mmCIF file of all heavy atoms in Angstrom:
data_model
loop_
_atom_site.group_PDB
_atom_site.id
_atom_site.type_symbol
_atom_site.label_atom_id
_atom_site.label_comp_id
_atom_site.label_asym_id
_atom_site.label_seq_id
_atom_site.Cartn_x
_atom_site.Cartn_y
_atom_site.Cartn_z
ATOM 1 N N THR P 872 -21.453 8.178 11.602
ATOM 2 C CA THR P 872 -20.577 9.352 11.598
ATOM 3 C C THR P 872 -19.348 9.080 10.801
ATOM 4 O O THR P 872 -18.627 8.058 11.050
ATOM 5 C CB THR P 872 -20.200 9.749 13.014
ATOM 6 O OG1 THR P 872 -21.405 9.991 13.758
ATOM 7 C CG2 THR P 872 -19.332 10.997 13.045
ATOM 8 N N ALA P 873 -19.066 9.867 9.823
ATOM 9 C CA ALA P 873 -17.817 9.774 9.007
ATOM 10 C C ALA P 873 -16.602 10.055 9.899
ATOM 11 O O ALA P 873 -16.733 10.820 10.850
ATOM 12 C CB ALA P 873 -17.867 10.761 7.858
ATOM 13 N N ILE P 874 -15.509 9.444 9.544
ATOM 14 C CA ILE P 874 -14.241 9.661 10.354
ATOM 15 C C ILE P 874 -13.814 11.131 10.169
ATOM 16 O O ILE P 874 -14.184 11.792 9.183
ATOM 17 C CB ILE P 874 -13.138 8.678 9.908
ATOM 18 C CG1 ILE P 874 -12.693 8.847 8.458
ATOM 19 C CG2 ILE P 874 -13.608 7.232 10.163
ATOM 20 C CD1 ILE P 874 -11.505 8.085 8.064
ATOM 21 N N PRO P 875 -12.971 11.603 11.068
ATOM 22 C CA PRO P 875 -12.483 13.000 10.955
ATOM 23 C C PRO P 875 -11.513 13.137 9.801
ATOM 24 O O PRO P 875 -10.830 12.212 9.405
ATOM 25 C CB PRO P 875 -11.824 13.251 12.326
ATOM 26 C CG PRO P 875 -11.648 11.904 12.994
ATOM 27 C CD PRO P 875 -12.537 10.982 12.325
ATOM 28 N N GLU P 876 -11.488 14.372 9.278
ATOM 29 C CA GLU P 876 -10.516 14.669 8.268
ATOM 30 C C GLU P 876 -9.070 14.529 8.846
ATOM 31 O O GLU P 876 -8.945 14.637 10.030
ATOM 32 C CB GLU P 876 -10.668 16.172 7.816
ATOM 33 C CG GLU P 876 -11.896 16.384 7.012
ATOM 34 C CD GLU P 876 -12.017 17.819 6.512
ATOM 35 O OE1 GLU P 876 -11.111 18.651 6.837
ATOM 36 O OE2 GLU P 876 -12.968 18.151 5.768
ATOM 37 N N GLY P 877 -8.195 14.184 7.962
ATOM 38 C CA GLY P 877 -6.806 14.008 8.375
ATOM 39 C C GLY P 877 -6.118 13.002 7.430
ATOM 40 O O GLY P 877 -6.674 12.645 6.423
ATOM 41 N N THR P 878 -4.847 12.673 7.823
ATOM 42 C CA THR P 878 -4.074 11.754 6.980
ATOM 43 C C THR P 878 -3.864 10.463 7.816
ATOM 44 O O THR P 878 -3.404 10.561 8.967
ATOM 45 C CB THR P 878 -2.733 12.388 6.579
ATOM 46 O OG1 THR P 878 -3.020 13.595 5.860
ATOM 47 C CG2 THR P 878 -1.916 11.436 5.703
ATOM 48 N N TYR P 879 -4.065 9.325 7.228
ATOM 49 C CA TYR P 879 -4.005 8.057 7.905
ATOM 50 C C TYR P 879 -3.195 7.059 7.098
ATOM 51 O O TYR P 879 -3.278 7.097 5.868
ATOM 52 C CB TYR P 879 -5.388 7.498 8.122
ATOM 53 C CG TYR P 879 -6.329 8.453 8.883
ATOM 54 C CD1 TYR P 879 -7.293 9.153 8.159
ATOM 55 C CD2 TYR P 879 -6.224 8.640 10.207
ATOM 56 C CE1 TYR P 879 -8.116 10.030 8.891
ATOM 57 C CE2 TYR P 879 -7.035 9.465 10.939
ATOM 58 C CZ TYR P 879 -7.971 10.225 10.210
ATOM 59 O OH TYR P 879 -8.826 11.116 10.889
ATOM 60 N N LYS P 880 -2.495 6.199 7.791
ATOM 61 C CA LYS P 880 -1.818 5.016 7.150
ATOM 62 C C LYS P 880 -2.888 4.071 6.769
ATOM 63 O O LYS P 880 -3.916 3.934 7.398
ATOM 64 C CB LYS P 880 -0.834 4.448 8.140
ATOM 65 C CG LYS P 880 -0.116 3.203 7.612
ATOM 66 C CD LYS P 880 0.764 2.661 8.696
ATOM 67 C CE LYS P 880 1.447 1.291 8.283
ATOM 68 N NZ LYS P 880 2.299 1.374 7.114
ATOM 69 N N VAL P 881 -2.646 3.371 5.563
ATOM 70 C CA VAL P 881 -3.605 2.406 5.097
ATOM 71 C C VAL P 881 -2.789 1.084 4.883
ATOM 72 O O VAL P 881 -1.660 1.055 4.378
ATOM 73 C CB VAL P 881 -4.165 2.795 3.772
ATOM 74 C CG1 VAL P 881 -5.148 1.700 3.207
ATOM 75 C CG2 VAL P 881 -4.939 4.094 3.908
ATOM 76 N N ILE P 882 -3.438 -0.010 5.386
ATOM 77 C CA ILE P 882 -2.823 -1.349 5.086
ATOM 78 C C ILE P 882 -3.919 -2.141 4.375
ATOM 79 O O ILE P 882 -5.106 -1.754 4.408
ATOM 80 C CB ILE P 882 -2.406 -2.058 6.398
ATOM 81 C CG1 ILE P 882 -3.613 -2.284 7.371
ATOM 82 C CG2 ILE P 882 -1.317 -1.298 7.156
ATOM 83 C CD1 ILE P 882 -3.319 -3.166 8.528
ATOM 84 N N VAL P 883 -3.549 -3.220 3.706
ATOM 85 C CA VAL P 883 -4.467 -4.101 3.048
ATOM 86 C C VAL P 883 -4.300 -5.443 3.795
ATOM 87 O O VAL P 883 -3.284 -6.056 3.802
ATOM 88 C CB VAL P 883 -4.175 -4.215 1.573
ATOM 89 C CG1 VAL P 883 -5.138 -5.224 0.936
ATOM 90 C CG2 VAL P 883 -4.277 -2.886 0.865
ATOM 91 N N ASN P 884 -5.445 -5.876 4.412
ATOM 92 C CA ASN P 884 -5.433 -7.184 5.028
ATOM 93 C C ASN P 884 -6.839 -7.800 4.942
ATOM 94 O O ASN P 884 -7.729 -7.177 4.437
ATOM 95 C CB ASN P 884 -4.921 -7.085 6.509
ATOM 96 C CG ASN P 884 -5.797 -6.321 7.402
ATOM 97 O OD1 ASN P 884 -6.857 -5.809 7.060
ATOM 98 N ND2 ASN P 884 -5.395 -6.068 8.625
ATOM 99 N N THR P 885 -6.893 -8.994 5.382
ATOM 100 C CA THR P 885 -8.191 -9.743 5.318
ATOM 101 C C THR P 885 -9.091 -9.204 6.428
ATOM 102 O O THR P 885 -8.783 -9.278 7.653
ATOM 103 C CB THR P 885 -8.017 -11.240 5.418
ATOM 104 O OG1 THR P 885 -7.163 -11.686 4.404
ATOM 105 C CG2 THR P 885 -9.329 -12.003 5.322
ATOM 106 N N SER P 886 -10.271 -8.761 6.052
ATOM 107 C CA SER P 886 -11.303 -8.309 6.958
ATOM 108 C C SER P 886 -11.991 -9.501 7.628
ATOM 109 O O SER P 886 -12.461 -10.377 6.971
ATOM 110 C CB SER P 886 -12.366 -7.515 6.250
ATOM 111 O OG SER P 886 -13.479 -7.372 7.008
ATOM 112 N N PRO P 887 -11.931 -9.577 9.007
ATOM 113 C CA PRO P 887 -12.654 -10.646 9.677
ATOM 114 C C PRO P 887 -14.154 -10.659 9.384
ATOM 115 O O PRO P 887 -14.739 -11.758 9.282
ATOM 116 C CB PRO P 887 -12.398 -10.375 11.177
ATOM 117 C CG PRO P 887 -11.210 -9.432 11.253
ATOM 118 C CD PRO P 887 -11.225 -8.674 9.943
ATOM 119 N N LYS P 888 -14.700 -9.510 9.179
ATOM 120 C CA LYS P 888 -16.173 -9.435 8.911
ATOM 121 C C LYS P 888 -16.476 -9.862 7.542
ATOM 122 O O LYS P 888 -17.371 -10.640 7.215
ATOM 123 C CB LYS P 888 -16.622 -7.988 9.118
ATOM 124 C CG LYS P 888 -18.088 -7.748 8.873
ATOM 125 C CD LYS P 888 -18.508 -6.332 9.122
ATOM 126 C CE LYS P 888 -19.989 -6.122 8.820
ATOM 127 N NZ LYS P 888 -20.437 -4.776 9.098
ATOM 128 N N PHE P 889 -15.725 -9.323 6.505
ATOM 129 C CA PHE P 889 -16.041 -9.527 5.100
ATOM 130 C C PHE P 889 -15.311 -10.741 4.487
ATOM 131 O O PHE P 889 -15.601 -11.190 3.395
ATOM 132 C CB PHE P 889 -15.819 -8.299 4.254
ATOM 133 C CG PHE P 889 -16.736 -7.168 4.681
ATOM 134 C CD1 PHE P 889 -16.252 -6.035 5.228
ATOM 135 C CD2 PHE P 889 -18.082 -7.231 4.390
ATOM 136 C CE1 PHE P 889 -17.102 -4.968 5.587
ATOM 137 C CE2 PHE P 889 -18.959 -6.233 4.729
ATOM 138 C CZ PHE P 889 -18.432 -5.070 5.351
ATOM 139 N N LYS P 890 -14.244 -11.217 5.162
ATOM 140 C CA LYS P 890 -13.524 -12.431 4.724
ATOM 141 C C LYS P 890 -12.868 -12.193 3.355
ATOM 142 O O LYS P 890 -12.776 -13.166 2.553
ATOM 143 C CB LYS P 890 -14.429 -13.670 4.690
ATOM 144 C CG LYS P 890 -15.232 -13.927 5.904
ATOM 145 C CD LYS P 890 -14.387 -14.452 7.057
ATOM 146 C CE LYS P 890 -15.258 -14.882 8.199
ATOM 147 N NZ LYS P 890 -15.154 -14.121 9.418
ATOM 148 N N ARG P 891 -12.377 -11.005 3.077
ATOM 149 C CA ARG P 891 -11.658 -10.750 1.871
ATOM 150 C C ARG P 891 -10.637 -9.611 2.140
ATOM 151 O O ARG P 891 -10.779 -8.859 3.105
ATOM 152 C CB ARG P 891 -12.540 -10.434 0.701
ATOM 153 C CG ARG P 891 -13.421 -9.201 0.838
ATOM 154 C CD ARG P 891 -14.300 -8.982 -0.310
ATOM 155 N NE ARG P 891 -15.077 -7.777 -0.226
ATOM 156 C CZ ARG P 891 -16.306 -7.621 0.338
ATOM 157 N NH1 ARG P 891 -16.859 -8.688 0.881
ATOM 158 N NH2 ARG P 891 -16.860 -6.452 0.415
ATOM 159 N N LEU P 892 -9.642 -9.440 1.250
ATOM 160 C CA LEU P 892 -8.650 -8.351 1.339
ATOM 161 C C LEU P 892 -9.356 -7.039 1.174
ATOM 162 O O LEU P 892 -10.105 -6.908 0.163
ATOM 163 C CB LEU P 892 -7.566 -8.560 0.352
ATOM 164 C CG LEU P 892 -6.522 -9.583 0.518
ATOM 165 C CD1 LEU P 892 -5.521 -9.562 -0.634
ATOM 166 C CD2 LEU P 892 -5.735 -9.365 1.840
ATOM 167 N N LEU P 893 -9.129 -6.110 2.095
ATOM 168 C CA LEU P 893 -9.617 -4.791 1.970
ATOM 169 C C LEU P 893 -8.638 -3.786 2.539
ATOM 170 O O LEU P 893 -7.913 -4.067 3.461
ATOM 171 C CB LEU P 893 -10.966 -4.658 2.745
ATOM 172 C CG LEU P 893 -12.181 -5.390 2.166
ATOM 173 C CD1 LEU P 893 -13.357 -5.304 3.216
ATOM 174 C CD2 LEU P 893 -12.566 -4.846 0.852
#
Side-chain angles (χ1 to χ4, degrees):
T872 303
I874 65 172
E876 291 183 357
T878 301
Y879 306 101
K880 177 181 174 64
V881 177
I882 61 171
V883 178
N884 65 6
T885 300
S886 162
K888 178 178 179 179
F889 294 113
K890 310 287 190 245
R891 62 182 183 269
L892 285 178
L893 290 173

